[in-house]
Amino acid sequence: MTKATGPNLEDMRRPVGVSVLVLLLVGSLVVAPVGASTTAAGTDQATQPALTASEDEIVRTFTFSLTPEEPGVVDVRLQFAVPDQVFELETSVPERATVTDTNGFSADGTGNYTWDGETTSPSISLALEANQTGQYHYKPSRAEPDTERGLMFVDTGDWALVSVPGTSVWWRYRGTTRPSFETRTEVAGSGMAGDRMVYLGPHSTTTRDIGDQTVSLVVPDAATLESDPESILDTIEAGERALPPSPVERSLLIAAPTSVEWGPYGLAQQTDAWVRADQSISDPNNVWVHEFVHLRQDFETTTDTRWIREAMPEYYAAALTLDQGRIDFETFAEHLERGTNARYDETVLSQPDTWGSLANYVKGALVYGTIDYRIRATSDRTRSARHLFAAMNAHDGPIDQAYLDAELAELGGKSVAAELDRFITTTRTPSMWSAQDHETAFGASPPVFVTNVNGPIEITGPYRNTSITGSIPTLVPGERITIPVTITNDGGTTGAYAVPLTVDGVPVANATGTLDSGENANQRLSYTVEQPGRIQLAVGTRSWTAEVAEPETPEVMDLWATPATIRPGESVTLTLSIANPGEWPATGTVTPRLDGTALEPIDLDLAVNETAERTQQITLDGTGEHTVTAGDRSITINVVEPTETRHTTPTQTPGFTAAAGVIAALFAGLIAGQRDW
């Protein structure tokens, strides 16, 4: 990076060697001096070492830190490294800040602070009001009901997204070499600092070189992304070729947590930007691309061309998302056709006081898109609005309507320029061009892959094999979820698709293949859950939230023995009835115990409301009562000695039965009677 020098305020009539006063104004929302050098870093240090400066460089460092006990306020340490030839230095403090401590600085009574000329690393400690509010878009002074104010920057105590404040710096030096000036931004603790924006709090960072610009995507732990980090950087990188080179070397792109009420969907400031984490990359209003286009804008506008500031990124957000095959032409066209709504009939883009709500975004995008279309159609696709964008970046001075007309005439011819001028300077509104016209001017439409779930979701594993069509029930580790999908190519050309199944934004399975225009393919995407917690699954535009819990524990519902009384050495059959009364699958081991000694363990996997019976054979030798337990159930088995019983059998004369004996007795009586006669 080059280093900034202060504005040339030297009085050339003064003799060489006398002191010179230099004033440097650096505002948080204004352009820094040409060639300004700003570096930024994320650190985990609670305190910063003393700054050092080169022989001819003044270094100003902002160090940011959270104040969890005071939400809405962050601590900022403003520290200077001053080279030897500087003998006097004065600084202002941000309007939103309160000075809490100084080292080597003292208040001069005007609101500014003056260096004592001796302290090596003078500093000022500040309590900075972090919360700032604003509206979704630029609008005239009259109120619009659908442009309510919301947060642009915020500190919640646990995390903060803040803007680097601006201060003015004056200095005097000796000699003929005027010191240069550099601003650095750092954080104390967890966070990431850019040149214009700072995030404080736990986070992850993904960095990629996109063209000549290094983009660091910061995802706070408090944010839930709609699109995964790699895909966000992919959509930006894919669109980068349609844009002019970057005016900055590095940029911070922050995924803003949606737990607060933001005003805009995203916000860019020169080098850095933030976007609401819930914004999709498969939407014609691709806010990630929109804000990235802002980071490529390196021009100023006058009042009559102010509309371009938002019209350009709004158009490119839709056009580049179409070019990437994330939306189809119909969706793209519907997005631009909003500019023909009757609410914009009285809008003149070159006159901001005529704008209806979002006119510069909506009608502006249609007009800027028409500029791109007409330039391409007229030049047989050899030129495009990219050439206009690059010319505006290279222009020395603000862009006014006269300059715009001249560039349009250069790129598309005078008649095209005159036609386009009417859409800008009058209430006339262009019509949206057709799909066929688009193909002629922009080339055949790219493949557009649409993914639809084509059947019930399957859940398989050791506990259950089932299908569901609604919400996903509570899962347990080891279960596998399979989602059947149909991928259709709605675009105009053949292309290769890669449709991921993501879990918490991270791809875990991928359906790939090649489809001609109009063709479709059926695929199945599967994932085995691994650990407890809440997960977010997504395929295409569909998403599901699922709870993953540790398995329930099987419960012993009943226990009995057959038979309950045996002799020593005999066997008994134990039967256990084991159930899962929980709301998700159960797994575990039930171990019966005989008189406290473990028997053979029983391993079970049970679905919800499933009951299973298991049996075991045991042999008992000792007599007496034996106790068997399982879970909270208990039974008693009796082992008894066999009972000794004596049986007496009467002696009988062979062939002489009891009936015969009676008859014999009667016969004997008759004989005896005869003897008495």
Side-chain angles (χ1 to χ4, degrees):
M1 293 184 177
T2 58
K3 296 179 180 179
T5 59
N8 187 3
L9 302 181
E10 298 180 13
D11 184 345
M12 302 306 296
R13 295 173 296 177
R14 296 186 180 184
V16 174
V18 302
S19 64
V20 178
L21 172 65
V22 177
L23 166 64
L24 178 66
L25 298 173
V26 181
S28 63
L29 298 177
V30 299
V31 179
V34 175
S37 174
T38 309
T39 59
T43 72
D44 290 314
Q45 300 176 357
T47 58
Q48 301 299 318
L51 293 177
T52 58
S54 63
E55 183 177 341
D56 58 353
E57 180 182 55
I58 300 171
V59 179
R60 176 182 62 179
T61 299
F62 292 94
T63 302
F64 296 80
S65 58
L66 287 172
T67 58
E69 70 285 353
E70 192 175 0
V73 175
V74 297
D75 283 341
V76 180
R77 186 184 187 206
L78 179 59
Q79 187 177 11
F80 289 85
V82 186
D84 291 341
Q85 70 264 42
V86 174
F87 63 89
E88 186 176 313
L89 185 143
E90 183 179 350
T91 181
S92 66
V93 296
E95 292 182 0
R96 296 177 290 109
T98 301
V99 176
T100 58
D101 193 17
T102 60
N103 177 33
F105 278 102
S106 59
D108 63 6
T110 66
N112 298 327
Y113 284 75
T114 302
W115 175 44
D116 61 13
E118 298 178 355
T119 304
T120 303
S121 297
S123 63
I124 302 174
S125 296
L126 306 169
L128 179 69
E129 294 180 9
N131 295 358
Q132 298 182 60
T133 60
Q135 282 143 331
Y136 176 73
H137 70 300
Y138 170 86
K139 71 179 186 67
S141 58
R142 68 175 186 270
E144 292 284 346
D146 54 354
T147 56
E148 295 180 0
R149 298 179 69 85
L151 288 165
M152 295 169 57
F153 297 98
V154 68
D155 168 48
T156 68
D158 296 327
W159 60 269
L161 201 169
V162 299
S163 176
V164 177
T167 63
S168 302
V169 179
W170 302 262
W171 67 83
R172 298 177 71 186
Y173 65 97
R174 299 181 181 89
T176 58
T177 302
R178 183 174 61 194
S180 61
F181 186 89
E182 179 182 356
T183 295
R184 299 174 183 172
T185 54
E186 299 178 349
V187 300
S190 181
M192 193 76 176
D195 297 345
R196 307 306 311 152
M197 296 182 184
V198 177
Y199 175 76
L200 301 172
H203 67 285
S204 61
T205 304
T206 305
T207 299
R208 186 183 298 184
D209 290 333
I210 297 178
D212 51 0
Q213 179 181 11
T214 299
V215 178
S216 295
L217 175 58
V218 177
V219 181
D221 289 359
T224 300
L225 281 176
E226 174 69 20
S227 306
D228 64 90
E230 292 297 336
S231 296
I232 291 170
L233 294 175
D234 285 347
T235 191
I236 291 172
E237 186 171 22
E240 189 269 342
R241 68 178 183 273
L243 306 174
S246 175
V248 298
E249 294 180 7
R250 64 182 299 275
S251 291
L252 211 61
L253 184 58
I254 304 167
T258 54
S259 56
V260 300
E261 293 295 329
W262 296 110
Y265 286 96
L267 182 67
Q269 284 188 343
Q270 297 177 351
T271 61
D272 306 319
W274 64 256
V275 174
R276 294 188 195 184
D278 60 359
Q279 294 304 292
S280 171
I281 61 173
S282 299
D283 190 284
N285 181 29
N286 188 335
V287 184
W288 299 98
V289 171
H290 181 114
E291 300 306 334
F292 182 74
V293 174
H294 274 307
L295 300 183
R296 290 297 174 98
Q297 291 176 325
D298 192 26
F299 56 83
E300 296 180 15
T301 62
T302 56
T303 299
D304 54 359
T305 58
R306 183 183 296 156
W307 64 276
I308 294 177
R309 298 295 302 182
E310 295 298 343
M312 175 188 286
E314 187 71 7
Y315 163 69
Y316 277 122
L320 298 180
T321 303
L322 169 65
D323 187 59
Q324 295 168 35
R326 300 183 188 275
I327 58 174
D328 56 22
F329 179 80
E330 182 180 359
T331 302
F332 167 72
E334 288 177 352
H335 187 71
L336 293 192
E337 279 182 327
R338 297 178 306 156
T340 64
N341 190 292
R343 70 188 302 182
Y344 304 118
D345 285 350
E346 301 303 317
T347 292
V348 178
L349 289 177
S350 62
Q351 300 174 24
D353 59 352
T354 69
W355 293 355
S357 176
L358 302 176
N360 52 336
Y361 286 79
V362 180
K363 185 172 182 177
L366 175 60
V367 170
Y368 195 86
T370 302
I371 289 173
D372 195 15
Y373 164 68
R374 295 293 286 126
I375 292 174
R376 288 171 182 266
T378 302
S379 67
D380 195 22
R381 294 193 297 192
T382 60
R383 296 180 179 180
S384 69
R386 181 184 186 279
H387 296 85
L388 175 62
F389 194 167
M392 289 192 290
N393 276 358
H395 181 62
D396 185 15
I399 306 299
D400 58 16
Q401 188 61 39
Y403 173 82
L404 186 59
D405 286 339
E407 284 299 316
L408 292 176
E410 177 71 22
L411 293 170
K414 291 184 178 180
S415 62
V416 170
E419 173 194 0
L420 296 172
D421 179 85
R422 288 191 289 272
F423 298 140
I424 298 169
T425 61
T426 75
T427 58
R428 290 189 59 188
T429 302
S431 299
M432 182 62 202
W433 56 96
S434 68
Q436 184 176 354
D437 290 339
H438 187 87
E439 186 169 334
T440 300
F442 291 79
S445 63
V448 177
F449 297 105
V450 178
T451 303
N452 292 304
V453 176
N454 64 19
I457 296 173
E458 301 172 9
I459 300 174
T460 57
Y463 317 102
R464 55 185 165 182
N465 294 291
T466 187
S467 298
I468 57 105
T469 56
S471 60
I472 298 175
T474 300
L475 306 170
V476 298
E479 289 196 297
R480 187 171 181 82
I481 187 165
T482 299
I483 303 174
V485 296
T486 298
I487 300 106
T488 304
N489 182 2
D490 283 347
T493 55
T494 299
Y497 64 84
V499 176
L501 166 63
T502 63
V503 175
D504 296 333
V506 178
V508 295
N510 209 25
T512 59
T514 301
L515 291 174
D516 292 334
S517 175
E519 283 191 333
N520 60 63
N522 294 323
Q523 295 265 23
R524 292 164 61 84
L525 294 162
S526 299
Y527 171 68
T528 301
V529 295
E530 299 175 349
Q531 56 188 4
R534 175 174 292 183
I535 59 174
Q536 187 82 17
L537 299 103
V539 176
T541 60
R542 292 287 303 278
S543 63
W544 304 263
T545 298
E547 297 289 343
V548 182
E550 292 288 0
E552 296 275 20
T553 301
E555 294 186 21
V556 178
M557 308 304 291
D558 203 357
L559 170 67
W560 65 91
T562 307
T565 301
I566 60 172
R567 296 183 181 91
E570 291 183 341
S571 296
V572 64
T573 299
L574 296 177
T575 303
L576 294 85
S577 176
I578 306 169
N580 172 24
E583 297 181 0
W584 53 84
T587 187
T589 300
V590 174
T591 303
R593 293 183 176 274
L594 174 62
D595 298 331
T597 301
L599 299 176
E600 182 180 351
I602 302 171
D603 296 324
L604 300 102
D605 295 319
L606 299 175
V608 177
N609 295 324
E610 182 181 1
T611 299
E613 287 190 359
R614 298 291 187 269
T615 61
Q616 287 189 13
Q617 294 285 333
I618 59 173
T619 302
L620 300 175
D621 293 322
T623 59
E625 292 185 348
H626 297 270
T627 301
V628 177
T629 59
D632 60 358
R633 303 288 173 163
S634 176
I635 60 171
T636 300
I637 302 173
N638 292 314
V639 181
V640 298
E641 291 288 355
T643 302
E644 295 186 8
T645 304
R646 296 185 179 183
H647 299 281
T648 302
T649 304
T651 303
Q652 296 181 352
T653 302
F656 190 83
T657 65
V662 171
I663 295 171
L666 291 173
F667 184 73
L670 290 173
I671 294 174
Q674 291 177 349
R675 289 176 178 172
D676 292 341
W677 291 346

